[in-house]
């Protein structure tokens, strides 16, 4: 896989990260198109199931982007999101997908650059990790079956 | 009838005034001489005391103000003439040509890329030119052109694909009828180049605080990297010099205090430390640290103790370059050293203050309003936002130097008073030529789409060059047409234009569509517009989904168009999958009760009550004690010499006699329920504690603070010892005894800025100066000593402080390690001993009067009770905590609650009155609506699935869910904020957040990852 192009799901809270992504747009800061954003009202809205479903369906990486600490529109939703992601990390480690494929990223609405930079960094990280093992297993099965 | 208010100046104050007026259903014309609104605040990187990113906090307000139907925004516009009188002004406005039609400009940036020379540069360090859009979130979202610099006009016009450039644009003059005028033009910053000793303009590494702010800012010249201007290297040691151009009696500078610079410098130093920790040294040279705002003292203490910022009490003499290094040497002296000291820094930041620029003096002349000796607008103590001309109001910096929260308070106060000259507009009367649809037209009844198979219409906007110039929109349209459930897929040119919207509406009706996907820009900016469109086609507005293929695709992947196309397809596919599952939702609407409950019968409570009662609202004024007046009943004079008691008796008489005010004395609040627009509060009042319930739509808390009376320095033990408040009355009642005094000593910060009461009480320095000047007038021979830690005579109070010094009042600084001591002496005197730092020795003085500046403490007991009953937040020291310390200083965190006066924080009478007017104004904005729309994005519980495990009850940040009588969790849609935390945690998936249901999110995930495995 020389030109592995990962698929990355970014859950972005409406108030900060999604706004920062728009801001990256108005500043014309390019970042890898691998990152696809799903808007949520608060990063705390993202359940463990949403993240696991993405990996089950073949996503190579997932990140949950919320507000800076103390800036959450809903008091501490971003902190609860971080706890949940920590829990998902452990689970991913246990089942062999690897906890490093999921991350929490914090930014304020004005940080267009941070949004672009973290999209770059995360994509690079996942590129190094290679494809989601689920993909490889299924591919093997397919070729074994054939 | 003439129903407009003219607001002059589109900084944060003007925006707030305009928004408040618009919310209260008044028409506003907001003018600004700049090309976009935003003023000074949008130039800041972060704001104290939360160190939040500034643009994130202000930009929603800016775009709100661009969107608001009642506000007409005129940039590049100035007032040239005004005639008539309050209620009936005729104003002449002149608008300079922008050479760009903001309605057509999409801010794509092509014109700038090709013709950067025609761009207007912003002043100072901001050389990123792009934009005569001054900052990325500018409103209006459009460029402007400096035609005088353009050499090839034809080519410039050619470059704009949208035809937005108007080369022959000319200045326009209009005459308008307005009923009131609000001045919010801000102020200018002192230009330190005039002061030769600091080398500003000569040495590149000497910058102003605003320039430093731009250097720190992510949208600044170095994109947020802290580098010094001379060589682009990161500095290791930075000095701030305070009071540059302020508190200065030389001719070019200002004698008053600019009020905001201490916190400004603290913030910059803290943000610098936060980023670079031990890699950087920060030193602040100051005269007095004036952190007298709410919780500001805590911020100062954090700066000192946690961040290790060094404070040097000195006014530096000069800044001198060190060879060719770019470094700067500061020469200064302190109380402790006889010899001048020297220190070398990589950068020097000058904390420049505010000044009124010449064009504002001219503006005041055109308006015929009086200015004070410093060219700020003259206002009265008991009417702080009214100018000398009836119907003309002022808020913010042009009234006096101040920070953002105070500006916001005055802005709401000015809006409240200005709205008295018009009737509120009935929604049905409102039409707007700019608006794509006829507002009078009633919405068609909603089509029932239940049971129908999804018939989704996908409309892909080309947004001119913005989307269409990067990707082939036709390919997206073709792709979308083959997605499941899609009945129509079309390209629309400029989807938000009037023609496109009308077309979309027709297609929805014609093709019987029941879902709509807009492949366009961000829902943040355009969702409401498209929702409105589909509503007009008979669809529920929640059947719309947006795919953000501009801001999050073509704008960021223009260099890789194929990837951009693939991503656009993904985004559209995801939106289609989620739209298919969307369902019609109903906004929660509630009828509005327009009565108001005001708690607290002091000067703030009465002022708020009368303002609302005069507007025709019914007000219940609840006072715990048996009399109206509160703490202000004990104050005789203001610093300016106004008679407080005369004002108070007038206020009390008007309150008691007003037909719309019902006063309840000896009354306590015992229970409370309901929601904004329909609160119900239980009150016990009168000698028998009779219980009654009051129904009201809004609540204003004006419960005040207490005069502090700590057991210190023989207070209440010795006759010669009294508080400043006692002394205020004593001077008035016993002038003969005052005349006989030989020595008077005052001690500042007694019971404030100490562990028991860590904040500054704000009013004590002015009280001490006030009483010292009054004693001096009665008794020119007496020795008056004021023992202080920092003199905090902010704004124009500095004039009185200076006068007191000139009249021989002796101000002696003491430190916490060396506090004065007091013992009882003979002949009804007390013996006060204190260290004199200039003399370097201890002095003992036999005082006939020892006045203790004891300030305020919060009324902890009552704020605790009330916060429990009303579910409000409090600060650590027991004051009510507002919703947003910067931008919403009057609104409390529970909607429908507002705060005024010293229940919010220590403040003087004038500031309390301004906040009371602001609270009345804010309440008015809520009550102007006949119904309350709470939106539809709320959590809904499926009782069948709920196991009553209490997880939702525990996780909700707002304590909304509870287990009801049927044994399952219930969430009141009127209280739900819509964060979805409960939905994410519910183990039984019994809770769904409307608009963001699990199946919708899963559908997006699934469709994005379709075909990967």
């Amino acid at each position: 896989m020389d030109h592995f192009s990962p698929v990355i799901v970014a859950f972005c809270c409406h108030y900060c990260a999604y706004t920062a992504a728009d801001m990256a747009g108005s500043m014309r800061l390019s970042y890898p198109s691998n990152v696809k954003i799903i808007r949520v009202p608060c990063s705390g809205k993202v359940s463990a199931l949403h993240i696991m479903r993405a990996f089950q369906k073949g996503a190579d990486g997932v990140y949950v982007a919320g507000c800076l600490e103390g800036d959450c529109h809903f008091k501490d939703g971003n902190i609860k999101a971080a706890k949940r992601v920590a829990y998902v990390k452990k689970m991913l480690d246990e089942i062999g997908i690897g906890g490093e494929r999921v991350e929490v990223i914090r930014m304020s609405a004005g940080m267009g650059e941070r949004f672009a930079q973290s999209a770059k960094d995360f994509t690079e990280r996942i590129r190094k990790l290679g494809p989601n093992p689920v993909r490889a297993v299924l591919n093997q099965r397919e070729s074994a079956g054939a | 009838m003439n129903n407009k208010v003219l607001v002059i100046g589109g900084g944060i104050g003007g925006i707030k005034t305009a928004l408040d007026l618009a919310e209260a259903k008044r028409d506003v014309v907001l003018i600004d001489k700049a090309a976009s609104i935003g003023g000074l605040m949008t130039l800041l990187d972060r704001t104290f005391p939360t160190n939040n990113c500034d643009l994130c906090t202000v930009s929603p307000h800016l775009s709100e103000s661009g969107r608001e139907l009642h506000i007409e925004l005129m940039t590049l516009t100035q007032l040239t003439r005004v005639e008539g009188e309050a209620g009936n002004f005729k104003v002449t406005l002149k608008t300079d040509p922008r050479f760009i039609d903001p309605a057509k400009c999409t801010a794509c940036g092509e014109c700038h890329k090709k013709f950067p020379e025609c761009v207007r540069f912003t002043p100072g360090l901001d050389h990123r030119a792009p934009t005569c859009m001054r900052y990325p979130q500018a409103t209006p979202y459009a460029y402007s052109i400096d035609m005088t610099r353009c050499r090839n006009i034809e080519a410039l016009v050619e470059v704009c694909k949208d035809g937005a450039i108007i080369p022959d644009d000319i200045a326009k003059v209009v005459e308008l009828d307005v009923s009131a005028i609000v001045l919010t033009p801000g102020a200018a910053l002192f230009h330190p180049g005039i002061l030769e000793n600091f080398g500003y303009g000569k040495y590149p590494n000497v910058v102003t605080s605003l320039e430093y702010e731009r250097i720190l800012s992510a949208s600044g010249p170095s994109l947020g990297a802290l580098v010094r201007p001379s060589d682009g290297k990161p500095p290791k040691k930075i000095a701030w010099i305070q009071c540059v151009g302020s508190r200065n009696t030389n001719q070019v500078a200002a004698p008053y205090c600019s009020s905001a610079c201490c916190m400004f410098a603290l913030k910059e130093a803290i943000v610098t430390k936060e980023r670079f920790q031990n890699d950087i040294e920060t030193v602040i040279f100051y005269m007095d640290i004036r952190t007298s705002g709410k919780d500001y003292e805590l911020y100062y203490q954090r700066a000192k103790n946690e961040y290790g910022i060094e404070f040097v009490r000195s006014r530096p003499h000069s800044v001198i370059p060190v060879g060719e290094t770019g470094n700067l040497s500061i020469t200064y002296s302190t109380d402790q050293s006889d010899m001048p000291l020297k220190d070398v820094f990589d950068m020097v930041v000058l904390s420049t203050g505010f000044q009124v620029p010449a064009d504002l003096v001219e503006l005041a002349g055109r308006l015929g309003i009086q200015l004070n000796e410093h060219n700020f607008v003259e206002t009265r103590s008991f009417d702080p936002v009214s100018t000398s001309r009836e119907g003309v109001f002022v808020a913010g910096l042009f009234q006096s130097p101040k920070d953002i929260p105070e500006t916001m308070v005055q802005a709401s106060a000015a809006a409240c008073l200005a709205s008295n000259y018009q009737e509120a507009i009935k929604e049905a009367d409102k039409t707007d030529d700019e608006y794509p649809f006829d507002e009078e037209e009633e919405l068609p009844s909603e089509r029932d789409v239940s049971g129908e198979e999804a018939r989704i219409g996908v409309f892909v906007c080309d947004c001119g060059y913005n989307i269409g110039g990067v990707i082939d929109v036709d390919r997206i349209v073709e792709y979308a047409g083959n997605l499941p459930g899609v009945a129509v897929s079309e390209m629309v040119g400029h989807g938000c234009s009037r023609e496109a919207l009308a077309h979309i509406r027709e297609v929805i009706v014609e093709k019987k569509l029941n879902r709509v996907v807009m492949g366009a820009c961000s829902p943040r900016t355009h969702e409401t517009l498209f929702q409105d469109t589909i509503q007009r086609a008979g669809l529920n507005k929640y059947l719309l989904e947006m795919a953000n293929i501009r801001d999050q695709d073509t704008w960021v992947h223009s260099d890789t168009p194929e990837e951009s196309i693939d991503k656009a397809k993904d985004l559209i596919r995801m939106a289609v999958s989620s739209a298919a599952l969307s369902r019609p939702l109903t906004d929660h609407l509630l009828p509005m009760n327009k009565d108001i409950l005001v708690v607290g019968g002091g000067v703030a409570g009465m002022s708020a009550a009368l303002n609302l009662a005069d507007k025709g609202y019914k007000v219940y004024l609840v006072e715990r004690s048996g009399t109206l007046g509160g703490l202000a009943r004990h104050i005789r004079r203001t610093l300016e010499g106004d008679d407080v008691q005369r004002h108070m008796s007038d206020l009390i008489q008007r309150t008691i006699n007003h037909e719309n005010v019902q006063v309840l004395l000896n009354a306590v609040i015992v229970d409370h329920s309901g929601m904004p627009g329909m609160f119900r509060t239980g009150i016990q009042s009168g000698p028998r504690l009779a219980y009654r319930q009051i129904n009201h739509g809004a609540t204003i808390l004006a419960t005040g603070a207490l005069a502090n009376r700590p057991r210190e320095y023989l207070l209440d033990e010795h006759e010669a010892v009294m508080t400043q408040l006692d002394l205020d009355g004593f001077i008035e009642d016993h002038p003969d005894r005052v005349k006989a005094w030989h020595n008077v000593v005052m001690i500042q910060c007694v019971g404030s800025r100490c562990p028991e009461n860590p904040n500054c009480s704000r009013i004590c320095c002015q009280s001490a100066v006030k009483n010292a000047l009054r004693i001096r007038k009665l008794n020119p021979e007496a020795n008056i000593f004021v023992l202080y830690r920092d003199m905090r005579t902010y704004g124009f109070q500095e004039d009185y402080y200076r006068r007191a010094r000139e009249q021989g009042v002796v101000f002696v600084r003491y430190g916490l390690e060396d506090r004065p001591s007091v013992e009882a002496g003979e002949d009804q005197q007390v013996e006060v001993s204190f260290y004199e730092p200039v003399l370097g020795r201890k002095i003992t003085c036999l005082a006939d009067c020892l006045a203790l500046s004891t300030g305020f403490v919060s009324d902890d007991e009552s704020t605790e009770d009330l916060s429990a009953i009303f579910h409000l937040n409090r600060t650590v020291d027991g004051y009510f905590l507002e919703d947003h310390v910067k931008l919403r200083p009057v609104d409390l965190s529970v909607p429908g609650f507002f705060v005024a006066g010293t229940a919010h924080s220590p403040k003087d009478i004038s500031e309390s009155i301004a906040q009371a007017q602001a609270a009345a104004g804010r309440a008015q904005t809520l009550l102007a609506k006949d119904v309350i729309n709470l939106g539809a994005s709320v959590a809904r519980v499926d009782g069948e699935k709920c196991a009553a495990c209490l997880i939702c009850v525990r996780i909700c940040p707002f304590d909304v869910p509870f287990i009801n009588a049927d044994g399952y969790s219930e969430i009141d849609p009127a209280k739900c904020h819509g964060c979805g935390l409960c939905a994410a945690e519910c183990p039984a998936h019994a809770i769904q957040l409307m608009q963001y249901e699990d199946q919708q999110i899963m559908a997006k995930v699934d469709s994005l990852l379709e075909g990967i495995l």
Side-chain angles (χ1 to χ4, degrees):
Chain A
M1 277 250 181
D2 283 347
H3 297 289
F4 165 51
S5 180
V7 179
I8 292 165
V9 182
F11 291 102
C12 291
C13 84
H14 174 81
Y15 290 94
C16 289
Y18 192 89
T19 308
D22 279 354
M23 176 93 173
S26 44
M27 294 167 83
R28 309 300 195 274
L29 303 168
S30 76
Y31 53 86
S33 66
N34 307 59
V35 173
K36 311 293 191 317
I37 293 172
I38 294 179
R39 182 167 67 125
V40 285
C42 173
S43 54
K45 168 71 185 78
V46 182
S47 76
L49 240 100
H50 297 145
I51 302 173
M52 294 306 283
R53 171 80 148 229
F55 286 113
Q56 183 199 346
K57 292 284 176 176
D60 302 298
V62 175
Y63 65 85
V64 178
C67 307
L68 297 174
E69 214 156 309
D71 281 4
C72 178
H73 191 80
F74 304 103
K75 294 187 182 167
D76 59 352
N78 52 348
I79 292 168
K80 289 179 173 132
K83 280 192 190 149
R84 211 172 292 142
V85 168
Y87 165 74
V88 172
K89 266 178 184 288
K90 248 191 255 167
M91 203 150 50
L92 289 173
D93 275 334
E94 279 167 23
I95 62 175
I97 289 179
E100 61 274 39
R101 290 182 184 275
V102 63
E103 205 50 78
V104 168
I105 296 174
R106 295 186 200 280
M107 64 193 73
S108 73
M111 295 178 164
E113 272 169 84
R114 181 178 296 187
F115 182 87
Q117 191 56 46
S118 41
K120 278 181 209 163
D121 294 348
F122 193 79
T123 307
E124 204 38 53
R125 180 206 286 196
I126 300 299
R127 213 183 289 263
K128 282 189 185 137
L129 288 171
N132 178 349
V134 174
R135 285 218 231 178
V137 172
L138 285 176
N139 286 343
Q140 267 174 14
R141 265 193 214 160
E142 253 172 47
S143 45
Chain B
M1 180 186 169
N2 166 15
N3 227 326
K4 279 195 170 81
V5 181
L6 175 68
V7 179
I8 302 177
I12 189 68
I15 290 169
K16 182 69 183 168
T17 303
L19 285 174
D20 271 11
L21 283 164
E23 272 185 71
K25 299 194 176 157
R26 265 67 171 182
D27 277 344
V28 180
V29 179
L30 174 62
I31 68 169
D32 197 299
K33 63 180 184 194
S36 59
I37 56 172
L40 272 179
M41 184 176 175
T42 50
L43 299 176
L44 305 179
D45 172 45
R46 267 145 207 284
T47 51
F48 58 77
T50 50
N51 293 359
N52 274 353
C53 153
D54 218 75
L55 279 177
C56 339
T57 40
V58 73
S59 61
H61 285 245
L62 299 182
S63 50
E64 233 180 296
S65 116
R67 204 169 55 203
E68 192 68 57
L69 209 58
H70 291 291
I71 300 174
E72 186 186 346
L73 181 61
M74 296 173 74
T75 48
L76 298 166
T77 300
Q78 300 192 55
L79 175 114
T80 54
R81 223 174 122 85
V82 58
E83 286 173 342
E85 56 195 29
N88 220 348
F89 290 116
K90 193 176 274 302
V91 295
T92 309
L93 306 176
K94 177 169 172 274
T95 304
D96 287 332
R98 175 185 280 269
F99 301 108
I100 281 200
D101 181 354
K104 287 184 183 164
C105 176
T106 59
C108 68
E110 279 305 297
C111 58
H112 165 251
K113 235 186 269 172
K114 305 272 166 56
F115 295 91
E117 72 278 4
C118 326
V119 151
R120 287 195 188 89
F121 282 70
T122 47
L125 286 174
D126 203 352
H127 52 246
R128 61 187 164 123
T131 59
C132 11
M133 273 171 44
R134 288 171 46 235
Y135 50 97
Q137 293 98 326
T139 299
Y141 201 49
Y143 283 65
S144 71
I145 288 172
D146 183 354
M147 224 21 115
T148 59
R149 294 198 191 193
C150 185
R151 290 201 200 90
N152 189 345
I153 293 175
E154 240 169 68
L156 174 68
V157 172
E158 203 60 20
V159 83
C160 180
K161 300 275 186 295
D162 298 298
I165 296 174
I166 315 163
D168 50 357
D169 204 1
I170 49 164
K172 296 175 191 75
V173 174
V174 289
E175 269 196 12
L176 280 181
D177 291 325
V178 299
S179 50
I181 299 172
V182 180
L183 291 170
T184 51
L189 288 162
F190 175 73
H191 184 35
I194 309 168
L195 304 172
E196 283 183 6
N197 52 335
F198 294 137
Y200 178 83
K202 261 193 296 188
Y203 318 133
N205 295 332
V206 178
V207 298
T208 65
S209 38
L210 191 61
E211 286 167 345
Y212 188 76
E213 195 80 16
R214 295 305 302 150
I215 294 176
L216 284 178
S217 170
S219 63
S222 50
L223 295 173
L226 173 55
V227 291
R228 57 183 203 170
S230 71
D231 49 13
K233 282 190 192 150
K236 292 277 172 207
K237 191 169 177 182
I238 306 179
W240 277 260
I241 299 178
Q242 297 304 104
C243 302
V244 174
S246 307
R247 300 186 65 187
N248 209 320
T249 44
N250 85 26
Q251 293 227 317
V252 292
Y256 50 82
C257 163
S258 287
S259 300
C261 335
C262 279
M263 282 297 281
F264 198 17
L266 285 178
K267 173 200 65 184
E268 289 186 340
I270 288 180
V271 170
T272 305
K273 275 286 192 186
E274 269 176 349
R275 286 210 209 159
F276 304 99
Q277 271 117 40
N278 295 329
D279 292 342
I280 200 154
E281 272 183 73
T282 51
V283 182
I284 297 180
F285 291 93
Y286 72 101
M287 293 164 58
D288 296 278
I289 290 290
R290 295 190 164 171
T291 46
S292 49
K294 185 173 189 174
D295 281 346
Y296 290 0
E297 180 70 16
L298 303 179
Y299 192 77
Y300 170 37
Q301 294 308 325
R302 273 213 311 277
K304 208 157 51 174
N305 303 328
E306 286 173 34
Y307 290 95
I309 293 161
E310 198 184 325
F311 290 85
V312 178
R313 191 185 150 86
S314 171
R315 186 163 212 163
H317 170 264
S318 56
V319 176
I320 298 163
V322 182
E324 299 297 309
T325 58
N327 294 348
L328 301 152
S329 158
I330 292 183
T331 319
Y332 65 98
S333 54
T334 68
D335 284 351
Q336 285 83 35
S337 69
D338 301 332
M339 298 288 292
L341 303 168
K342 238 185 211 175
D343 205 350
V344 176
F345 298 87
D346 299 325
M347 264 180 97
V348 172
V349 184
L350 305 179
S351 290
T352 48
F354 300 116
Q355 289 202 320
V356 176
D359 63 320
L360 288 188
V361 177
E362 283 169 30
L363 175 66
R366 281 197 290 278
L367 283 162
I369 55 168
Q370 276 171 24
L371 301 181
N372 71 11
E373 56 182 312
H374 307 301
N375 284 340
F376 289 79
V377 176
E378 181 81 54
T379 54
R380 293 175 297 271
S381 294
F382 305 131
D383 197 3
V385 298
S386 299
T387 70
S388 59
R389 182 167 182 177
E390 202 200 331
V392 181
F393 304 92
V394 62
L397 286 175
F398 197 19
Q399 191 266 341
S400 72
K402 60 176 65 67
D403 61 12
I404 294 169
E406 284 185 78
T407 297
M408 297 306 264
V409 168
Q410 286 196 338
S412 289
C416 172
L417 299 186
S419 71
N420 287 342
Y421 294 89
Q422 321 88 33
E423 298 278 319
I425 299 156
K426 293 201 184 77
E427 272 317 303
D429 301 342
K430 177 77 192 151
T431 56
D432 188 321
D433 296 340
E434 292 299 306
Y435 203 64
F437 297 111
D438 189 348
E439 269 285 306
E440 281 183 12
E441 174 197 318
E442 276 193 28
L443 286 177
S445 58
E446 244 170 57
R447 194 158 73 76
D448 180 10
V449 302
S450 59
E452 288 181 19
E453 293 240 335
R455 285 181 60 77
I456 304 172
V458 180
F459 298 92
V460 186
C461 172
D462 72 347
C463 199
Y465 183 80
N466 285 286
I467 297 173
V470 177
I471 57 177
D472 184 350
V473 173
D474 289 336
R475 279 172 66 187
I476 308 291
V477 169
E478 193 193 329
Y479 173 80
N482 292 320
L483 291 171
V486 174
V488 171
S489 179
E490 277 193 12
M491 202 268 276
V492 282
H494 286 300
C496 53
S497 66
R498 183 195 293 257
E499 297 78 21
L501 293 171
H503 173 72
I504 292 170
R505 178 178 167 186
E506 264 170 44
V507 175
I508 294 171
V509 175
E510 231 167 70
K511 308 274 168 143
K512 296 203 166 44
L513 302 177
N514 55 23
R515 304 284 190 286
V516 173
V517 169
M518 287 300 308
C521 46
S522 176
R524 285 177 42 252
T525 52
H526 284 72
E527 195 169 51
T528 44
L529 180 67
F530 294 126
Q531 281 183 336
D532 184 72
T533 305
I534 75 164
Q535 268 185 302
R536 286 168 198 282
L539 289 181
N540 180 283
K541 66 180 183 179
Y542 294 103
L543 298 173
L544 170 84
E545 182 84 31
M546 286 186 75
N548 188 343
I549 62 168
R550 187 188 71 177
D551 304 40
Q552 297 180 1
D553 187 12
T554 56
W555 272 358
V556 286
H557 308 308
S558 58
D559 45 345
T560 51
E562 274 309 311
E563 286 183 22
S564 184
I565 285 202
D566 289 342
K567 183 165 169 183
K569 287 180 183 170
D570 290 342
L571 295 178
I572 299 260
R573 189 171 68 244
M574 290 159 75
V576 166
S577 70
S578 169
L581 298 170
S582 63
R583 53 171 140 182
L585 299 171
T586 315
D587 285 344
H588 294 278
L589 302 178
L590 294 168
M592 178 73 70
N593 178 320
K594 302 209 173 192
D595 298 346
I596 297 128
L597 173 67
V598 177
V599 187
V603 64
M606 285 190 288
S607 302
L610 284 172
N611 263 291
L612 286 160
D614 285 344
K615 289 173 191 289
Y617 293 104
K618 166 103 187 134
V619 181
Y620 299 94
L621 180 63
V622 173
E623 165 58 38
R624 179 180 54 181
S625 77
T627 46
L628 292 174
L631 200 52
R633 250 183 324 128
H634 305 288
I635 306 170
R636 303 300 182 87
R637 295 277 166 189
T638 64
L639 176 62
E640 294 79 12
D642 301 295
D643 184 342
V644 178
Q645 287 319 302
R646 194 195 294 174
H647 177 70
M648 289 308 292
S649 60
D650 173 53
L651 205 57
I652 292 170
Q653 281 313 309
R654 281 182 56 215
T655 305
I656 293 170
N657 296 327
H658 204 296
E659 55 174 2
N660 288 336
V661 182
Q662 186 178 347
V663 178
L664 295 158
L665 296 174
N666 298 310
V668 283
I669 286 167
V670 288
D671 62 54
H672 174 78
S673 64
M675 48 201 75
M678 48 182 298
F679 290 124
R680 173 171 296 188
T681 302
I683 290 165
Q684 286 186 318
S685 65
R688 292 195 191 161
L689 291 178
Y691 179 83
R692 66 180 285 192
Q693 278 188 331
I694 290 173
N695 294 316
H696 54 108
T699 315
I700 294 175
L701 294 180
T703 51
L706 302 175
N708 194 9
R709 211 169 178 94
R711 297 275 164 269
E712 277 190 75
Y713 296 125
L714 304 181
L715 182 61
D716 291 330
E717 289 172 37
H718 195 291
E719 201 191 344
V721 183
M722 58 184 89
T723 66
Q724 291 287 2
L725 190 59
D726 300 335
L727 177 59
D728 175 65
F730 193 92
I731 296 170
E732 203 88 346
D733 297 337
H734 307 286
D736 293 339
R737 289 177 63 185
V738 173
K739 281 178 189 161
W741 286 345
H742 296 291
N743 292 319
V744 178
V745 179
M746 299 181 181
I747 305 179
Q748 300 302 103
C749 299
V750 177
S752 301
R753 300 179 68 192
C754 59
E756 307 82 64
N757 186 25
N759 270 301
C760 166
S761 286
R762 190 172 174 92
I763 53 132
C764 329
C765 282
Q766 56 166 304
S767 305
V769 168
K770 166 184 80 177
N771 288 338
L773 283 169
R774 285 159 76 200
I775 293 170
R776 172 56 80 241
K777 201 171 175 190
L778 286 169
N779 182 349
E781 301 303 319
N783 297 310
I784 307 172
F785 298 93
V786 179
L787 312 182
Y788 73 101
R789 291 172 59 193
D790 291 279
M791 278 310 286
R792 294 184 167 173
T793 42
Y794 55 91
F796 306 131
Q797 294 170 18
E798 182 72 10
D799 292 338
Y800 296 90
Y801 174 38
R802 196 179 52 255
R803 200 171 303 158
R805 297 179 78 117
E806 284 164 3
Q807 293 183 13
V809 177
V810 181
F811 289 82
V812 180
R813 200 170 64 89
Y814 74 88
L816 275 185
E817 65 290 345
D818 217 346
R819 292 165 49 125
S821 59
V822 176
E823 277 174 42
E826 290 165 18
D827 296 339
Q828 294 163 5
Q829 289 175 315
V830 285
E831 212 176 274
V832 187
S833 305
F834 55 93
Y835 178 76
E836 215 307 328
V838 177
L839 298 175
R841 64 182 177 85
K842 219 165 185 124
I843 289 181
T844 300
C845 168
L846 273 179
D848 305 290
C849 167
L850 171 64
L852 305 178
S853 290
T854 50
F856 286 112
V857 279
S858 70
D859 188 352
D860 198 48
E861 216 173 294
S862 79
T863 59
E864 190 178 4
D865 286 350
L866 291 173
S867 67
I869 293 172
F870 294 133
H871 299 292
L872 300 167
N873 297 322
R874 295 191 310 151
T875 60
V876 182
D877 48 353
Y879 293 95
F880 287 118
L881 180 61
E882 58 274 42
D883 192 39
H884 191 290
V885 294
K886 208 77 193 174
L887 299 179
R888 288 159 67 80
V890 186
D891 299 53
L892 292 169
S893 58
V894 176
F897 278 80
F898 308 94
V899 65
T902 49
H904 165 266
S905 69
K907 51 177 67 72
D908 66 21
I909 292 182
S910 184
E911 291 160 348
S912 288
I913 292 171
Q915 202 179 16
Q917 292 169 336
R922 296 295 302 146
Q924 177 186 227
T925 63
L926 175 73
L927 301 174
K929 302 181 191 82
D930 296 323
V931 290
I932 320 160
N933 187 344
L934 300 165
S937 183
V938 292
R940 207 181 268 178
V941 184
D942 179 350
E944 303 253 314
K945 291 183 182 167
C946 174
C949 68
L950 295 176
I951 284 181
C952 54
V953 175
R954 288 195 199 107
I955 200 165
C956 177
F958 305 97
D959 301 326
V960 180
F962 64 98
I963 306 299
N964 65 14
D966 299 329
Y968 62 83
S969 162
E970 187 173 321
I971 293 173
D972 184 347
K975 289 183 182 158
C976 176
H977 290 228
C979 64
L981 286 180
C982 54
E985 291 279 321
C986 177
H989 305 294
I991 308 179
Q992 291 296 334
L993 180 67
M994 296 301 102
Q995 273 190 282
Y996 298 93
E997 291 178 65
D998 280 333
Q999 53 167 354
Q1000 287 174 290
I1001 293 180
M1002 291 301 200
K1004 282 189 180 176
V1005 170
D1006 289 357
S1007 66
L1008 166 63
L1009 299 164
E1010 211 173 83
I1012 286 200
L1013 294 180

